[in-house]
Amino acid sequence: MDLSTRNQLSLLLAFHAHQPVENFGHIFQSAFENAYQPFIDILAEFPEIKISLHISGSLLDWLLSNKPQFIQDVRKLVSRGQIELLSAGYYEPILILLPEWDRIGQINLHRAKMKAIFGQEPQGLWLTERVWEPGLPVSLRRAGIKFTIVDDEHFKIAGYKPEELWGYYLTEEQGMEVAIFPGSKFLRYSLPFKLPQETIEYLKAKNQQGKNCITFGDDLEKFGFWPQTYDWVYEKKWLYNFFCALRDNKEWLKTVHFKDILRDTEPTGRVYLPCASYSEMMEWSDNMFRNFLVKYPESNHLQKRVFMVSSVINQLYDKNKKIEEARLHLYKAQNNDVYWHGIFGGLYLVNLRQNAYRHLIMAERIADEIKQQRFPYYQVRDFDLDGREELVFKHELINVIIHPHQGGTVSEIDYKPREMNIVNVLTRRPEKYHRKILYKEKVACGSGGENPASIHNIEAVKEEGLEELLVYDSYRKVAWIDHIYSRCPQVQEIMRNQMTEEVPLWKMDYEYSVSKNIIQLKCLTSDIEFEKFLAVEKNVIDFEYRVNIGDSHSRWLGSEFNLLFYSQELLNWNEFQKLEELKFEDSWF
């Protein structure tokens, strides 16, 4: 049966439910109460309305442990044919940031869980943040995926006109074919922010133009959990009224599943899409998601460390049962939220970075146990792929990553017993929205009407005086950064990046050598002899200097450590200034 011959428009409704790995419990609970449960409750009242649903693995884990009845509710709607399940990487990674084996492994894990819990193995994929690259069809087909959803932005970048964006297209890579459904940006901004009748009029116009299939795909959280939406969607019955409107127009409008369209209709055409995402992401990332790895060296560092550990785990496949435990920790460290920043906090959220490093360190520690790795141990490799070699030093309790070609700075110190990277800090850098604070631009706080504004249109300054806190760094904030000043700097000058260095040692190449548990670094300039030593012994790291800065004039040595403290006492600035010695010991944690 060809649906296109019935003068009927098929509407595909795809909803994506996700929370970051091990997010705060109250966030899970609030999203559940304000979006997930009420949405499913109302959907159950309309058995003729079909939707497609993706639940990320991190959210699924929480639901299984805390809301078993919700799982039963969804299973019931799946069994009666109302919900079509979609898959993705289990812990919601950006697939293009993963090696091939982890792309397939994460998708296979999610599909298997869906089959075991709900009795349905997904054929389609919710593409995380709709980040597409042309090579993805190979990974998707190898993982058993037949179709995915992108935004109409992808097609527009490829030169397609709005009137061509309906139905589905076929693409391929190396002969492996995948169907692609273009999601409508109009629907993404109208559901649930416009009155249901406005959406019906849009769909009616598409039907009159002879289109047979239109796709909507977006976050389920916007239906109650996003700011100002709960009252509109549920108290004022937007969702109920929207489903009623769909039912009232069933003569020409019908909700269907993606698998039905693939089975019953021909593709609109063939397409080869460029690297792309939705329009807002393209703006945040300067037109390509991988640019986040350029803008944020901290993101690149984490992603390359994860890749490094993944390569080790992949080589240990099937050699030990504990490898599956290591792989799960690795998958959790690949959760997408920590690798970028847009409308939400993302990389700026300390708890997300802490969780990612915790699982990364646990995965690496298990892999070392399986390998029976002997310590101390070090590698010289360009792990972050910046064209310069780093020194990766591993001890029984501590890992250290040193950059000899960047002044011997330290970008990572892992304390393995607590799975903590204490150099897990961010460099202060400008963001586009800062101009609204610096120049006190007028910002919008709502839609101006009864219906709420999309979160993309809400820009509000929450605190006064934020412009005083906008200070930007001229170099990456890590640890063991060496400075030579012509005078003693004041605390505020350091904090506000106002000091001019006489010699920026952090830019220079240092010679290095490793002897057992001691690393020596040496810098020679025209009149400065500079050596520093790092020694690791059990749970203690010792930093030492030997400096000859010449006799020509007075100079001051600054040694800068940017650390993420987990101590309330040290978070107090007045108390911190009293420190004369800082010891990295087990008792410190």
Side-chain angles (χ1 to χ4, degrees), residues 256-269:
V256 298
H257 290 153
F258 291 91
K259 62 183 179 182
D260 299 327
I261 295 295
L262 290 177
R263 182 190 65 231
D264 297 331
T265 69
E266 298 293 326
T268 305

Side-chain angles (χ1 to χ4, degrees), residues 275-287:
C275 300
S277 182
Y278 52 88
S279 57
E280 297 88 352
M281 180 66 80
M282 296 295 281
E283 178 183 355
W284 300 329
S285 65
D286 292 327
N287 295 317

Side-chain angles (χ1 to χ4, degrees), residues 93-103 131 133 289-312 330-340 347 352-353 356-357 360 364 381-386 401 411-412 421 424 426 476:
I94 300 293
L95 290 178
I96 58 99
L97 295 185
L98 307 189
E100 176 78 359
W101 55 84
D102 285 340
R103 297 179 187 181
V131 177
E133 289 190 2
F289 188 87
R290 291 180 190 262
N291 284 334
F292 284 121
L293 304 181
V294 178
K295 180 178 181 179
Y296 303 110
E298 300 88 349
S299 175
N300 182 68
H301 181 108
L302 177 60
Q303 190 258 344
K304 298 304 187 294
R305 280 281 283 127
V306 169
F307 190 93
M308 184 170 73
V309 175
S310 176
S311 298
V312 173
L330 177 76
Y331 286 173
K332 290 181 179 181
Q334 294 170 339
N335 173 245
N336 83 89
D337 303 270
V338 72
Y339 292 94
W340 62 283
L347 180 67
L352 298 188
R353 301 201 312 272
Y357 272 108
L360 170 65
E364 186 174 37
R381 58 184 296 178
D382 180 16
F383 93 90
D384 59 1
L385 302 180
D386 66 348
I401 295 182
S411 61
E412 184 173 340
N421 169 21
N424 180 13
L426 282 184
R476 184 180 172 189

Side-chain angles (χ1 to χ4, degrees), residues 371-521:
K371 290 167 51 184
Q372 297 181 333
Q373 180 66 57
R374 301 181 67 179
F375 301 104
Y377 164 79
Y378 76 93
Q379 290 180 306
V380 177
R381 58 184 296 178
D382 180 16
F383 93 90
D384 59 1
L385 302 180
D386 66 348
R388 295 168 290 189
E389 291 182 333
E390 289 79 43
L391 186 61
V392 181
F393 182 85
K394 301 175 73 172
H395 202 271
E396 184 178 357
L397 301 180
I398 293 172
N399 295 331
V400 182
I401 295 182
I402 303 171
H403 299 255
H405 301 291
Q406 293 175 305
T409 54
V410 173
S411 61
E412 184 173 340
I413 300 174
D414 299 331
Y415 184 64
K416 292 189 252 186
R418 294 296 182 92
E419 298 98 22
M420 298 164 62
N421 169 21
I422 62 174
V423 193
N424 180 13
V425 297
L426 282 184
T427 303
R428 298 170 296 182
R429 54 177 59 86
E431 299 288 355
K432 290 182 179 179
Y433 51 81
H434 287 176
R435 64 176 291 113
K436 299 182 184 298
I437 300 172
L438 290 171
Y439 301 105
K440 300 185 183 300
E441 295 181 4
K442 186 176 181 180
V443 295
C445 296
S447 66
E450 184 181 16
N451 52 312
S454 166
I455 198 169
H456 299 292
N457 296 326
I458 299 176
E459 297 171 334
V461 177
K462 295 183 178 180
E463 300 177 34
E464 293 294 330
L466 287 179
E467 65 275 7
E468 295 299 320
L469 301 178
L470 292 180
V471 177
Y472 305 126
D473 297 310
S474 53
Y475 53 90
R476 184 180 172 189
K477 290 294 185 178
V478 285
W480 218 17
I481 307 172
D482 303 324
H483 306 277
I484 297 294
Y485 300 113
S486 59
R487 63 175 177 83
C488 182
Q490 300 298 310
V491 171
Q492 285 300 316
E493 290 178 315
I494 296 294
M495 293 184 65
R496 300 192 67 82
N497 193 30
Q498 294 172 338
M499 277 298 294
T500 301
E501 298 178 83
E502 183 174 312
V503 182
L505 293 173
W506 49 269
K507 288 184 177 181
M508 297 186 176
D509 288 342
Y510 281 33
E511 298 176 358
Y512 67 91
S513 62
V514 181
S515 177
K516 295 183 179 179
N517 64 324
I518 299 175
I519 301 166
Q520 177 184 5
L521 297 119

Side-chain angles (χ1 to χ4, degrees), residues 190-201 232 238 241-242 450-451:
S190 66
L191 306 182
F193 305 108
K194 295 182 182 295
L195 293 171
Q197 190 56 37
E198 294 183 62
T199 299
I200 295 298
E201 292 302 321
W232 172 253
W238 180 92
N241 292 334
F242 176 65
E450 184 181 16
N451 52 312

Side-chain angles (χ1 to χ4, degrees), residues 4 65 120 135 142 145 156 218 285 313 332 391 429 452 454 484 560:
S4 63
S65 297
Q120 183 186 109
R142 287 175 176 170
I145 296 298
K156 292 176 182 177
D218 211 346
S285 65
I313 292 175
K332 290 181 179 181
L391 186 61
R429 54 177 59 86
S454 166
I484 297 294
E560 179 180 351

